[in-house]
Amino acid sequence: MDTRTSHGLPFADRAQAGRRLAARLLELKLAPPITVLALPRGGVPVAAEVARALHAPLDLVLVRKIGMPGQRELAVAAIVDGDPPCMVIEPSLWRDAGLAPGDIEDQRQQALLENERRRRVYLHGRAPLPLDGRTVVVVDDGIATGTSVRAALKALRARHPARLVLAVPVAPADTLAALRSEVDQVVCLEQPAVFRAVGEHYVDFD
């Protein structure tokens, strides 16, 4: 896990954070072929800089959370786009709530449709890039709780990459530790002791 802290906060903007992240990733000499995946929307400008530096194709990984019935803000599952799409369940919450698959069917269908809509809008309907046997670098502009990222990583692992790397400019140490088992390597530039929101660590977060 490469989580050295260089005390370079705040980042000027996402592009600058992406260039710094790309420089760190270049030091690792990742094995080709490489594909970079961004979590939209904030992860896209960061990942664009990474993909450019690594001379790698850039794609999106689209995630929609599914909330507990009657408590939608509590994510019990997530739909991750792909071919086919993947539903990732939080087992403890699912079990404790006594949910059956049909209990979230409406939300699941809505999430599938929304991911399809976003892929049409962002990528004009282009199918997800194949990941089998590739080094896959998953990029976001930062991580707070890690719920969406964890779902994305679980789904991406099922697509058989040779190596799965999570790369972010900033995240709290406890969140990174919880995600470590989902990937082969974590790269994070900054782990501030006080972490409330990703946007607090950027001058320009528009």
Side-chain angles (χ1 to χ4, degrees):
M1 181 187 297
D2 184 348
T3 54
R4 289 172 285 164
T5 299
S6 57
H7 304 293
L9 292 173
F11 300 107
D13 55 22
R14 290 181 177 90
Q16 186 218 34
R19 289 190 292 272
R20 285 184 52 195
L21 193 58
R24 181 71 60 82
L25 288 162
L26 284 169
E27 294 175 1
L28 301 180
K29 302 186 185 306
L30 298 171
I34 300 171
T35 297
V36 177
L37 296 179
L39 276 85
R41 292 173 298 175
V44 174
V46 182
E49 299 290 341
V50 170
R52 186 176 297 115
L54 298 180
H55 303 288
L58 174 64
D59 200 358
L60 303 182
V61 54
L62 301 169
V63 184
R64 295 293 292 179
K65 297 176 187 175
I66 296 176
M68 184 179 293
Q71 197 176 352
R72 291 291 183 92
E73 70 280 2
L74 180 59
V76 295
I79 292 288
V80 184
D81 80 321
D83 187 16
C86 177
M87 185 167 80
V88 178
I89 293 171
E90 291 287 346
S92 60
L93 291 174
W94 192 273
R95 183 178 57 252
D96 293 347
L99 292 174
D103 294 336
I104 59 167
E105 182 59 25
D106 287 346
Q107 289 190 71
R108 191 181 76 85
Q109 290 299 325
Q110 291 170 15
L112 285 168
L113 291 172
E114 178 59 16
N115 277 345
E116 291 172 3
R117 185 194 71 80
R118 293 165 78 194
R119 184 160 284 277
R120 285 196 305 272
V121 170
Y122 296 157
L123 295 170
H124 306 290
R126 189 188 79 194
L129 295 176
L131 305 181
D132 196 342
R134 302 180 69 90
T135 296
V136 175
V137 182
V138 181
V139 179
D140 204 352
D141 55 5
I143 306 174
T145 64
T147 302
S148 294
V149 174
R150 182 180 296 104
L153 295 173
K154 285 181 178 293
L156 293 172
R157 182 66 82 184
R159 293 170 64 184
H160 309 295
R163 188 168 183 81
L164 188 57
V165 180
L166 174 62
V168 292
V170 61
D174 57 346
T175 297
L176 292 178
L179 293 170
R180 180 65 187 85
S181 63
E182 306 294 346
V183 295
D184 298 299
Q185 189 161 12
V186 174
V187 178
C188 181
L189 300 178
E190 306 289 347
Q191 298 176 74
V194 177
F195 195 104
R196 287 181 291 269
V198 173
E200 291 184 355
H201 305 293
Y202 286 82
V203 175
D204 179 0
F205 199 61
D206 288 341

